Amino acid sequence: MATPTYKIILLGAADGVTNIQAQAGFAKAFNLTPEQAAPLYANTGRVLKKGLSEEQATSYISKLATLGVACEMQQETPSAVDTASADAPPPVTPAAATTSKGEPGSATAPRDVPFVFTGNGFEYFKIWIVNILLSIITLGIYSAWAKVRNKQYFYGNTYLDEASFSYTANPVKILIGRIIAFVFFVIYSVASELSLIAAGVMGILLLVCLPWIICKSMRFNARYSNYRNVPFAFAGTSWGAACAFVFWPMSGLLFALVFFLPVWLIFDIASAIVVGYITMILAIVLLSPFVFFKQKQFIYGNHGYGTQSFKFSATAGSYYLLFLLVIGMYVLLGLAAFFLGFVTHPFVGAALFAPVYLVSFAYFVVKVANINYNAITLKGHALRANWKLGPYLWLMVSNTLLIVITLALFIPWAKVRTARFKAKYTSAVFVGDMNEFADQERDKVNALAEGVGDLFDIEIGL
């Protein structure tokens, strides 16, 4: 009796995946451009592959499912041709068989896997312009849906190890959070007009609530961000947020008060103000790298994937060195621009100051990204970043100029170019089978899932 064979039928987008995401996954699977993939993906019901064994067909469907494409297998009749259909795209190559001895290609051997971004500017422009128009027409109400559509587009077009990310938040919950924030803003504005004391009380109330708002927003975004159908998580506390975003940033003011009071008592108020101001500026300059480090440590160190927590191994010293280099670069280049302006013409110095600022700022962004991402690990897996100053500087300058020239219409293309740059220079190092790891985490998350929704499961903020 002949061994039965199966064919693979394209159904469309998998459950919980938009057509845009599924089409991008389809393009990725068959190494097609978005333009090439569109007509092929639209032809649902087509045969993608024939003549497969049951095991091969199951593997084929599973591989496409990780990319957001739904398929089904059907047993072929004995007369079926045992080859791929003539118009089908090249098949997805199943993952290579692995061993457990740590050899190249094994499940335990480290694999450097690049991020891939498949979006394009015109495709996103259509989403962007509709979002803006509907947000204006609805007086901002649609902005919650606009945020979800934006995130779904960029998440769905970002791939890692042939699987895309997804964003599943409910826009209504975002809208509720924004209404709360808007009501508070209105109350604060009215209070400011009526009484300075009332405005001060509202300001203090906002400062007290700020750590809770930060945690709430991060927890919300993490919970509805998924990779391989496993949600991310955030475990930061309001106290941790208060230390990172309130107490440490305000420490310069506290230092100033420590010097202000005795100088006021011994000398006079004018001297106390001068001493306090100088002390505060020095404290802010000296503590800024440490404050920056504590904030990044709070954000990255409290995130997780499924039930596993990320580890953040960067040190305060790396940020102090970066700040010192940037300040030194800014001072040296600034002095050079000033000197040229002095010996030639003041306008020459002024014209050179803008490039000095751009180079210093670009260098800071690139180095911060490399420090942050290279310090993140997850149970043996790790992120790797190798952002380069030249390409990023060109990206920043060209995006800015084109946005100005096109009166902001280039913004969608600028965002897509930025996402493509980030993906190009960022990768992950996986140790072991990521599919198996994700399956284990999915089971753990499902086992810990709450039976009822969180009443306060909303995103506070504008």
Side-chain angles (χ1 to χ4, degrees), residues 212-258:
W212 179 81
I213 293 172
I214 291 173
C215 287
K216 201 66 183 173
S217 296
M218 290 186 179
R219 188 170 293 114
F220 182 91
N221 280 297
R223 178 173 178 177
Y224 294 104
S225 300
N226 299 269
Y227 176 64
R228 296 182 184 271
N229 294 322
V230 178
F232 290 85
F234 182 76
T237 63
S238 296
W239 172 249
C243 292
F245 293 94
V246 178
F247 296 150
W248 282 115
M250 293 183 63
S251 56
L253 179 60
L254 296 177
F255 274 106
L257 290 175
V258 169

Side-chain angles (χ1 to χ4, degrees), residues 64-185:
L64 284 170
T66 63
L67 300 175
V69 181
C71 297
E72 69 175 7
M73 64 180 184
Q74 296 179 1
Q75 186 171 342
E76 294 176 312
T77 60
S79 60
V81 181
D82 246 0
T83 57
S85 59
D87 60 344
V92 180
T93 303
T98 59
T99 65
S100 57
K101 298 181 180 180
E103 299 171 353
S106 73
T108 56
R111 296 182 295 124
D112 190 35
V113 183
F115 284 84
V116 176
F117 184 75
T118 60
N120 67 77
F122 182 68
E123 187 178 58
Y124 177 59
F125 173 79
K126 292 183 288 186
I127 297 174
W128 177 79
I129 196 67
V130 170
N131 284 346
I132 290 179
L133 293 175
L134 290 178
S135 296
I136 293 173
I137 292 172
T138 61
L139 301 179
I141 294 176
Y142 187 79
S143 63
W145 281 261
K147 177 176 180 176
V148 171
R149 290 188 68 198
N150 284 336
K151 282 185 171 289
Q152 286 179 340
Y153 181 81
F154 282 96
Y155 280 38
N157 282 287
T158 302
Y159 288 83
L160 181 62
D161 201 21
E162 299 185 351
S164 69
F165 293 79
S166 62
Y167 187 71
T168 59
N170 185 344
V172 174
K173 294 182 177 181
I174 297 177
L175 179 62
I176 293 172
R178 293 188 173 186
I179 290 174
I180 293 174
F182 179 74
V183 170
F184 184 90
F185 174 76

Side-chain angles (χ1 to χ4, degrees), residues 338-404:
F338 176 80
F339 177 76
L340 287 175
F342 180 78
V343 298
T344 57
H345 194 280
F347 287 111
V348 175
L352 290 175
F353 187 78
V356 167
Y357 171 78
L358 289 174
V359 172
S360 302
F361 178 78
Y363 180 81
F364 179 81
V365 172
V366 166
K367 292 302 179 182
V368 164
N370 289 338
I371 291 173
N372 291 342
Y373 295 149
N374 287 320
I376 298 174
T377 57
L378 175 71
K379 199 179 179 180
H381 310 293
L383 284 181
R384 290 290 178 264
N386 186 29
W387 290 28
K388 300 181 182 299
L389 176 59
Y392 182 78
L393 183 62
W394 166 247
L395 173 73
M396 183 177 66
V397 172
S398 59
N399 277 350
T400 302
L401 291 176
L402 289 170
I403 288 173
V404 172

Side-chain angles (χ1 to χ4, degrees), residues 7-12 26 30 32 36-50 60 64 69-74 84-91:
K7 58 185 176 181
I8 304 300
I9 308 298
L10 174 65
L11 298 181
F26 188 86
F30 299 115
L32 303 171
Q36 293 170 330
L40 294 173
Y41 173 80
N43 188 12
T44 55
R46 67 178 295 129
V47 177
L48 295 180
K49 188 71 174 176
K50 291 182 179 180
Y60 199 99
L64 284 170
V69 181
C71 297
E72 69 175 7
M73 64 180 184
Q74 296 179 1
S85 59
D87 60 344

